[in-house]
């Protein structure tokens, strides 16, 4: 099938995601999990509508734009709010995106809801759960559940900005079905889950 991306005709196979042919910034998408369309960083303009590139398949005759002024403003705002509410010190790729989009989180002032105050959880000998650095992409929950392992040792708790991964009933990790496979660490983009071997 043929479609246009930023004015250029592109030929792709059926089932191809727009993310695969446009490569916009993205955060929640990971090829080994089923998480799709949560972070909105990968929004592209398709025939005048904004659609997540990670969850939209290419279709014959589409006209896709990936770098409009509106999209740049939207991405900058999303990145600013992530930086304002979350400790991104272990997420260099997000910090680079923030800089590339000329983000200025301070322009929003202070916010009453922030993940930054959460204390790291050390309840096992293998890895740290540091939800102050969590952007709620849900990759870890999906990798632990339907996406890869199927053990469901992680779940989501809370709503909106304060939603975050945790264990069922907030139990210590060793008291869950966790097998410490490390898949959640592998898919985490921000260092919210990281090996204890990295800690000083």
């Amino acid at each position: 099938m043929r479609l246009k991306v930023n004015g250029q005709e592109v030929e792709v196979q059926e089932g191809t995601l727009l993310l695969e042919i446009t490569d916009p910034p993205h955060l929640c998408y990971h090829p080994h999990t089923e998480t799709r369309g949560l972070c909105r960083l990968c929004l592209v303009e398709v025939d005048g509508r904004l659609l997540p590139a990670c969850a939209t398949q290419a279709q014959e005759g589409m006209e896709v734009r990936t770098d409009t002024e509106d999209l740049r403003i939207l991405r900058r705002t999303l990145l600013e709010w992530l930086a304002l509410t979350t400790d991104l010190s272990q997420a260099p790729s997000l910090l680079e995106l923030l800089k590339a989009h000329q983000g200025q989180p301070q322009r929003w002032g202070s916010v009453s809801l922030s993940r930054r105050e959460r204390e790291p959880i050390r309840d096992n000998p293998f890895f740290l759960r540091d939800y102050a650095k969590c952007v709620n992409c849900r990759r870890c929950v999906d990798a632990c559940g339907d996406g890869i392992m199927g053990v469901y040792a992680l779940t989501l708790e809370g709503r909106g900005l304060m939603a975050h991964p945790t264990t069922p009933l907030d139990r210590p990790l060793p008291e869950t079905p966790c097998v410490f496979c490390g898949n959640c660490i592998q898919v985490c983009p921000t260092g919210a889950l990281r090996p204890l071997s990295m800690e000083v």
Side-chain angles (χ1 to χ4, degrees):
M1 61 180 65
R2 292 181 176 84
L3 63 155
K4 286 187 177 181
V5 177
N6 296 324
Q8 300 294 313
E9 190 169 277
V10 177
E11 187 171 332
V12 299
Q13 294 184 349
E14 186 175 353
T16 301
L17 291 173
L18 291 182
L19 184 70
E20 299 174 79
I21 57 174
T22 59
D23 196 32
H26 60 278
L27 174 59
C28 67
Y29 173 82
H30 190 281
H32 298 304
T33 71
E34 296 299 318
T35 307
R36 298 284 189 275
L38 295 176
C39 73
R40 316 313 273 181
L41 270 178
C42 74
L43 287 177
V44 293
E45 185 180 304
V46 180
D47 301 325
R49 297 179 299 154
L50 296 181
L51 297 175
C54 70
T56 305
Q57 293 184 358
Q59 295 180 13
E60 182 74 34
M62 269 184 170
E63 293 201 10
V64 183
R65 300 174 71 194
T66 66
D67 193 30
T68 67
E69 180 63 21
D70 286 345
L71 287 171
R72 287 193 291 272
I73 291 172
L74 175 62
R75 289 170 184 155
R76 183 177 69 223
T77 302
L78 289 171
L79 289 162
E80 286 173 342
W81 273 88
L82 285 177
L84 194 63
T85 59
T86 312
D87 176 4
L88 299 181
S89 60
Q90 299 280 332
S93 60
L94 281 178
L95 292 175
E96 288 174 12
L97 275 177
L98 181 67
K99 182 178 179 181
H101 285 78
Q102 301 179 328
Q104 299 178 14
Q106 65 275 11
R107 72 188 177 100
W108 298 99
S110 60
V111 293
S112 58
L113 294 176
S114 175
R115 295 180 268 255
R116 289 176 174 272
E117 307 306 318
R118 294 185 176 137
E119 292 294 324
I121 301 171
R122 300 171 184 258
D123 60 3
N124 69 87
F126 303 108
F127 63 88
L128 183 73
R129 292 187 285 147
D130 188 355
Y131 294 135
K133 296 175 174 60
C134 177
V135 292
N136 200 26
C137 69
R138 307 186 193 186
R139 284 185 185 182
C140 62
V141 175
D142 192 51
C144 187
D146 294 335
I148 301 176
M149 286 301 294
V151 297
Y152 305 98
L154 294 175
T155 186
L156 286 172
E157 181 180 279
R159 290 181 165 186
L161 185 62
M162 300 311 291
H164 66 282
T166 185
T167 57
L169 302 177
D170 208 25
R171 308 280 301 195
L173 207 53
E175 296 179 18
T176 72
C178 180
V179 295
F180 299 100
C181 65
N183 280 300
C184 58
I185 295 173
Q186 293 299 316
V187 300
C188 178
T190 63
L193 299 173
R194 58 188 186 274
L196 281 172
S197 60
M198 293 176 60
E199 300 301 299
V200 177

